[in-house]
Amino acid sequence: MVTNALNPNIGKLTSTGLDKLFFMYYDADKRPEYVTADDSLVYNQYNSERGSETIEELVGVGPLELRGELNKAGNGNPRSTNTITYVHETWSKGIELSEEFQSDDQFMAVDKMIKSLAMNARISRDKNAMGAYRRGLAATELIGDGKALFANDHPIANGTVDNLITTAAGESALTEANIALLNQKNPDGEVGGHLAAFLLTQPTDFARWSRILKTVLRPGTANNDINFYSSEYGIVLKMSQFLGSAVSGGNDNYWVLGSNNHGVVRWNRKNTTTRHIPGTIRENHSDYFDVEYRQSVGAASYMGLVGSTGATGTKDA
């Protein structure tokens, strides 16, 4: 793989070879349960051509009304409210590949440097994207309605909505969250009927949630009861180490139940892009190789999500 980065005729680093080496490591080790920034279930994915994006919460048309014969349909009053602007952030890193490295045939070291750069680029992108959920559960970032993404008192027409629970990972906790999701009201005060599509967790509880969601019979019992969630719901289990305590603001008790109609959005302003500047045009004769991406992640609304801090109760075995 080291020779892929070289021009065999002159023993020099090439842009094509370095890119091939970089993206071989950058795209490696993907698994369906592992949440990456481009996951279309956990994030609503959009491209952007601007420096920032403004999103809003939609207050819907309200319930349909009974129409009598010869009467016209009643008018709905949809409107946008609770706007918030997210500015796209640029993340980058570069490395020097010295002339001495190349003249001394230290290309194994170059391979390791490119691998480190690629892996850190992927980690950075995924960790920054998961920040929307992490900060929402930690209540360190507000969305357009002035509340954290997960809160007990999101303002809606004629009341509030609670999409934050504290129950630790377990079957009864999942039932609590599922009922809360089904009964969750939209901003116009109508029940949304959001159906659970995914459960997001951190590594500590991944095996526990796997047993709860995927076994044919109810886990942890001697009875032959059917596992309602695996037989009826088909909830997709998702895991990110960037939701847990391995990163600042994370917690090994956090978990989220989400529908397909949730409001967390990721804008891709610039894909992960590399650049190679040959040493022949630089004063220190060293090649320079860097990588950058540009994105932002935020939430338009609480809708379609119920989150738990996992702070109370006992986790299932």
Side-chain angles (χ1 to χ4, degrees):
M1 64 185 69
V2 177
T3 56
N4 288 338
L6 301 178
N7 181 327
N9 297 321
I10 59 176
K12 296 293 184 181
L13 298 173
T14 67
S15 298
T16 301
L18 287 169
D19 278 350
K20 185 175 182 179
L21 193 61
F22 175 89
F23 285 105
M24 179 178 68
Y25 292 123
Y26 181 82
D27 294 328
D29 302 326
K30 287 188 176 181
R31 298 176 59 90
E33 70 274 9
Y34 173 72
V35 179
T36 61
D38 52 11
D39 191 304
S40 60
L41 189 58
V42 176
Y43 309 101
N44 292 295
Q45 301 283 344
Y46 294 96
N47 291 322
S48 175
E49 297 181 353
R50 295 178 286 192
S52 63
E53 292 287 346
T54 298
I55 53 177
E56 64 284 320
E57 190 172 60
L58 176 68
V59 178
V61 300
L64 272 66
E65 302 166 354
L66 182 63
R67 183 181 69 83
E69 186 177 358
L70 302 181
N71 292 339
K72 69 175 184 178
N75 290 326
N77 185 30
R79 62 193 185 278
S80 296
T81 185
N82 299 331
T83 60
I84 187 170
T85 298
Y86 292 97
V87 178
H88 304 318
E89 297 176 323
T90 302
W91 298 81
S92 63
K93 182 72 74 173
I95 54 175
E96 296 273 352
L97 304 169
S98 71
E99 183 181 36
E100 287 75 16
F101 252 54
Q102 299 177 59
S103 62
D104 294 341
D105 291 334
Q106 297 296 310
F107 294 109
M108 260 307 196
V110 172
D111 180 275
K112 292 178 181 179
M113 293 165 68
I114 298 297
K115 180 179 182 180
S116 175
L117 184 62
M119 293 178 67
N120 277 282
R122 185 182 65 200
I123 288 168
S124 170
R125 186 193 66 158
D126 295 346
K127 180 173 69 174
N128 290 330
M130 187 52 59
Y133 286 96
R134 192 171 58 242
R135 293 188 294 271
L137 286 164
T140 56
E141 181 178 79
L142 305 181
I143 62 174
D145 65 4
K147 305 295 180 179
L149 177 59
F150 303 100
N152 302 122
D153 55 350
H154 291 283
I156 65 169
N158 303 315
T160 60
V161 163
D162 182 354
N163 75 331
L164 174 65
I165 64 176
T166 61
T167 318
E171 184 183 351
S172 61
L174 177 57
T175 298
E176 179 186 0
N178 188 45
I179 292 172
L181 193 62
L182 286 167
N183 290 335
Q184 187 181 90
K185 291 184 177 181
N186 292 336
D188 58 8
E190 289 299 304
V191 175
H194 299 284
L195 300 178
F198 69 91
L199 190 149
L200 172 64
T201 187
Q202 21 65 33
T204 299
D205 290 331
F206 179 72
R208 181 174 290 105
W209 283 118
S210 293
R211 289 190 290 271
I212 293 170
L213 289 174
K214 297 182 179 182
T215 54
V216 176
L217 303 179
R218 290 184 65 187
T221 72
N223 300 321
N224 290 328
D225 296 344
I226 294 295
N227 184 346
F228 171 78
Y229 289 104
S230 65
S231 63
E232 301 294 336
Y233 266 83
I235 297 171
V236 177
L237 181 59
K238 291 288 186 175
M239 181 271 292
S240 173
Q241 67 267 48
F242 305 120
L243 190 65
S245 62
V247 297
S248 177
N251 190 294
D252 288 338
N253 297 315
Y254 284 171
W255 59 277
V256 174
L257 188 66
S259 77
N260 284 319
N261 298 316
H262 68 82
V264 177
V265 179
R266 173 181 176 258
W267 291 278
N268 179 32
R269 181 63 182 89
K270 181 180 182 181
N271 287 322
T272 301
T273 305
T274 62
R275 179 182 59 159
H276 173 221
I277 304 176
T280 53
I281 60 174
R282 303 184 71 227
E283 290 184 354
N284 66 357
H285 298 174
S286 295
D287 285 58
Y288 184 77
F289 187 77
D290 68 5
V291 58
E292 73 175 33
Y293 66 90
R294 194 177 177 194
Q295 71 176 16
S296 63
V297 181
S301 174
Y302 66 86
M303 287 190 296
L305 294 171
V306 173
S308 178
T309 60
T312 61
T314 302
K315 296 181 181 181
D316 285 4

PDB file of all heavy atoms in Angstrom, residues 214-227:
ATOM      1  N   LYS A 214     -33.634  -7.518  19.767  1.00  0.00           N
ATOM      2  CA  LYS A 214     -33.438  -8.495  18.698  1.00  0.00           C
ATOM      3  C   LYS A 214     -33.782  -9.936  19.049  1.00  0.00           C
ATOM      4  O   LYS A 214     -33.923 -10.766  18.152  1.00  0.00           O
ATOM      5  CB  LYS A 214     -31.987  -8.423  18.200  1.00  0.00           C
ATOM      6  CG  LYS A 214     -31.628  -7.080  17.581  1.00  0.00           C
ATOM      7  CD  LYS A 214     -30.202  -7.061  17.064  1.00  0.00           C
ATOM      8  CE  LYS A 214     -29.855  -5.720  16.434  1.00  0.00           C
ATOM      9  NZ  LYS A 214     -28.483  -5.683  15.888  1.00  0.00           N
ATOM     10  N   THR A 215     -33.889 -10.274  20.348  1.00  0.00           N
ATOM     11  CA  THR A 215     -34.224 -11.650  20.680  1.00  0.00           C
ATOM     12  C   THR A 215     -35.669 -11.962  20.298  1.00  0.00           C
ATOM     13  O   THR A 215     -36.548 -11.100  20.363  1.00  0.00           O
ATOM     14  CB  THR A 215     -34.030 -11.916  22.189  1.00  0.00           C
ATOM     15  OG1 THR A 215     -34.776 -10.945  22.933  1.00  0.00           O
ATOM     16  CG2 THR A 215     -32.560 -11.819  22.560  1.00  0.00           C
ATOM     17  N   VAL A 216     -35.926 -13.205  19.914  1.00  0.00           N
ATOM     18  CA  VAL A 216     -37.274 -13.604  19.508  1.00  0.00           C
ATOM     19  C   VAL A 216     -38.216 -13.635  20.706  1.00  0.00           C
ATOM     20  O   VAL A 216     -39.362 -13.188  20.636  1.00  0.00           O
ATOM     21  CB  VAL A 216     -37.242 -14.981  18.821  1.00  0.00           C
ATOM     22  CG1 VAL A 216     -38.651 -15.457  18.493  1.00  0.00           C
ATOM     23  CG2 VAL A 216     -36.393 -14.910  17.552  1.00  0.00           C
ATOM     24  N   LEU A 217     -37.722 -14.154  21.839  1.00  0.00           N
ATOM     25  CA  LEU A 217     -38.503 -14.188  23.073  1.00  0.00           C
ATOM     26  C   LEU A 217     -38.022 -13.085  24.009  1.00  0.00           C
ATOM     27  O   LEU A 217     -36.912 -12.566  23.864  1.00  0.00           O
ATOM     28  CB  LEU A 217     -38.383 -15.550  23.748  1.00  0.00           C
ATOM     29  CG  LEU A 217     -38.807 -16.754  22.901  1.00  0.00           C
ATOM     30  CD1 LEU A 217     -38.611 -18.048  23.680  1.00  0.00           C
ATOM     31  CD2 LEU A 217     -40.248 -16.617  22.441  1.00  0.00           C
ATOM     32  N   ARG A 218     -38.852 -12.720  24.966  1.00  0.00           N
ATOM     33  CA  ARG A 218     -38.492 -11.639  25.886  1.00  0.00           C
ATOM     34  C   ARG A 218     -37.209 -11.992  26.621  1.00  0.00           C
ATOM     35  O   ARG A 218     -37.073 -13.079  27.198  1.00  0.00           O
ATOM     36  CB  ARG A 218     -39.611 -11.398  26.899  1.00  0.00           C
ATOM     37  CG  ARG A 218     -40.862 -10.777  26.309  1.00  0.00           C
ATOM     38  CD  ARG A 218     -41.883 -10.484  27.387  1.00  0.00           C
ATOM     39  NE  ARG A 218     -41.402  -9.469  28.309  1.00  0.00           N
ATOM     40  CZ  ARG A 218     -42.043  -9.127  29.428  1.00  0.00           C
ATOM     41  NH1 ARG A 218     -43.156  -9.757  29.771  1.00  0.00           N
ATOM     42  NH2 ARG A 218     -41.563  -8.179  30.205  1.00  0.00           N
ATOM     43  N   PRO A 219     -36.229 -11.102  26.651  1.00  0.00           N
ATOM     44  CA  PRO A 219     -34.956 -11.381  27.308  1.00  0.00           C
ATOM     45  C   PRO A 219     -35.088 -11.323  28.821  1.00  0.00           C
ATOM     46  O   PRO A 219     -35.928 -10.594  29.362  1.00  0.00           O
ATOM     47  CB  PRO A 219     -34.048 -10.260  26.798  1.00  0.00           C
ATOM     48  CG  PRO A 219     -34.985  -9.131  26.502  1.00  0.00           C
ATOM     49  CD  PRO A 219     -36.254  -9.773  26.017  1.00  0.00           C
ATOM     50  N   GLY A 220     -34.253 -12.106  29.510  1.00  0.00           N
ATOM     51  CA  GLY A 220     -34.184 -12.030  30.965  1.00  0.00           C
ATOM     52  C   GLY A 220     -35.317 -12.692  31.696  1.00  0.00           C
ATOM     53  O   GLY A 220     -35.502 -12.468  32.886  1.00  0.00           O
ATOM     54  N   THR A 221     -36.120 -13.518  31.012  1.00  0.00           N
ATOM     55  CA  THR A 221     -37.230 -14.215  31.678  1.00  0.00           C
ATOM     56  C   THR A 221     -37.187 -15.686  31.307  1.00  0.00           C
ATOM     57  O   THR A 221     -36.642 -16.077  30.279  1.00  0.00           O
ATOM     58  CB  THR A 221     -38.598 -13.646  31.279  1.00  0.00           C
ATOM     59  OG1 THR A 221     -38.893 -14.028  29.931  1.00  0.00           O
ATOM     60  CG2 THR A 221     -38.625 -12.134  31.401  1.00  0.00           C
ATOM     61  N   ALA A 222     -37.795 -16.515  32.176  1.00  0.00           N
ATOM     62  CA  ALA A 222     -37.871 -17.953  31.902  1.00  0.00           C
ATOM     63  C   ALA A 222     -39.118 -18.310  31.112  1.00  0.00           C
ATOM     64  O   ALA A 222     -39.325 -19.468  30.745  1.00  0.00           O
ATOM     65  CB  ALA A 222     -37.850 -18.724  33.223  1.00  0.00           C
ATOM     66  N   ASN A 223     -39.952 -17.325  30.855  1.00  0.00           N
ATOM     67  CA  ASN A 223     -41.195 -17.561  30.126  1.00  0.00           C
ATOM     68  C   ASN A 223     -40.958 -17.515  28.621  1.00  0.00           C
ATOM     69  O   ASN A 223     -39.968 -16.957  28.142  1.00  0.00           O
ATOM     70  CB  ASN A 223     -42.238 -16.518  30.511  1.00  0.00           C
ATOM     71  CG  ASN A 223     -42.553 -16.541  31.999  1.00  0.00           C
ATOM     72  OD1 ASN A 223     -42.633 -17.606  32.588  1.00  0.00           O
ATOM     73  ND2 ASN A 223     -42.717 -15.364  32.592  1.00  0.00           N
ATOM     74  N   ASN A 224     -41.902 -18.084  27.876  1.00  0.00           N
ATOM     75  CA  ASN A 224     -41.783 -18.088  26.426  1.00  0.00           C
ATOM     76  C   ASN A 224     -42.595 -16.970  25.789  1.00  0.00           C
ATOM     77  O   ASN A 224     -43.181 -17.128  24.726  1.00  0.00           O
ATOM     78  CB  ASN A 224     -42.234 -19.444  25.856  1.00  0.00           C
ATOM     79  CG  ASN A 224     -41.247 -20.547  26.195  1.00  0.00           C
ATOM     80  OD1 ASN A 224     -40.042 -20.298  26.293  1.00  0.00           O
ATOM     81  ND2 ASN A 224     -41.754 -21.748  26.379  1.00  0.00           N
ATOM     82  N   ASP A 225     -42.646 -15.815  26.459  1.00  0.00           N
ATOM     83  CA  ASP A 225     -43.377 -14.676  25.922  1.00  0.00           C
ATOM     84  C   ASP A 225     -42.697 -14.154  24.663  1.00  0.00           C
ATOM     85  O   ASP A 225     -41.462 -14.099  24.577  1.00  0.00           O
ATOM     86  CB  ASP A 225     -43.442 -13.540  26.952  1.00  0.00           C
ATOM     87  CG  ASP A 225     -44.228 -13.932  28.190  1.00  0.00           C
ATOM     88  OD1 ASP A 225     -44.957 -14.935  28.123  1.00  0.00           O
ATOM     89  OD2 ASP A 225     -44.100 -13.239  29.210  1.00  0.00           O
ATOM     90  N   ILE A 226     -43.498 -13.741  23.702  1.00  0.00           N
ATOM     91  CA  ILE A 226     -42.972 -13.153  22.476  1.00  0.00           C
ATOM     92  C   ILE A 226     -42.354 -11.788  22.797  1.00  0.00           C
ATOM     93  O   ILE A 226     -42.908 -11.011  23.572  1.00  0.00           O
ATOM     94  CB  ILE A 226     -44.080 -12.997  21.422  1.00  0.00           C
ATOM     95  CG1 ILE A 226     -44.576 -14.383  20.969  1.00  0.00           C
ATOM     96  CG2 ILE A 226     -43.608 -12.179  20.231  1.00  0.00           C
ATOM     97  CD1 ILE A 226     -43.528 -15.190  20.235  1.00  0.00           C
ATOM     98  N   ASN A 227     -41.212 -11.513  22.212  1.00  0.00           N
ATOM     99  CA  ASN A 227     -40.607 -10.186  22.341  1.00  0.00           C
ATOM    100  C   ASN A 227     -41.356  -9.231  21.409  1.00  0.00           C
ATOM    101  O   ASN A 227     -41.208  -9.278  20.193  1.00  0.00           O
ATOM    102  CB  ASN A 227     -39.121 -10.231  21.975  1.00  0.00           C
ATOM    103  CG  ASN A 227     -38.436  -8.886  22.179  1.00  0.00           C
ATOM    104  OD1 ASN A 227     -39.085  -7.850  22.343  1.00  0.00           O
ATOM    105  ND2 ASN A 227     -37.111  -8.899  22.170  1.00  0.00           N
TER     106      ASN A 227
END
